[in-house]
Amino acid sequence: MREAFVDIYCRGLTGTARTTPFGDDTVIWTVHGHMFAAYTIGGDGLSLRIGDKVSAHRLIGQGRAASAPYLKQDGWVLFPWDTRPQELRDRIGKSYRLVLDDKNA
């Protein structure tokens, strides 16, 4: 159910695309070809870019997020599917804007 929520929200953001480059069960959302969100169908949650290592570690330390599997780059975390919808939507928007700003810089 949360996967559909993510897809609907991400689809409404300008310049986004839903891709499955690693197989049908791994969904990658991109903006202008750059990843800002990812999940595995039936997986534990949604991986999002947070922006920096310190913020990522803080969220992990607070128990609000986990280390993002397969995304060991600094600034990526996994938000569990039981994250409140409002927070998840806000985090998706922030990840989208981070990637968009980096692309435009």
Side-chain angles (χ1 to χ4, degrees), residues 24-82:
D24 291 341
D25 64 337
T26 302
V27 175
I28 306 295
W29 277 96
T30 63
V31 57
H32 302 299
H34 299 276
M35 182 171 68
F36 71 93
Y39 66 84
T40 301
I41 294 174
D44 295 330
L46 178 66
S47 294
L48 295 169
R49 183 169 173 206
I50 295 305
D52 61 71
K53 189 177 187 176
V54 173
S55 297
H57 284 287
R58 183 175 41 246
L59 287 167
I60 292 167
Q62 293 170 346
R64 295 172 60 200
S67 179
Y70 311 111
L71 293 171
K72 299 303 179 188
Q73 301 168 356
D74 293 338
W76 282 89
V77 297
L78 177 98
F79 287 95
W81 287 124
D82 63 359

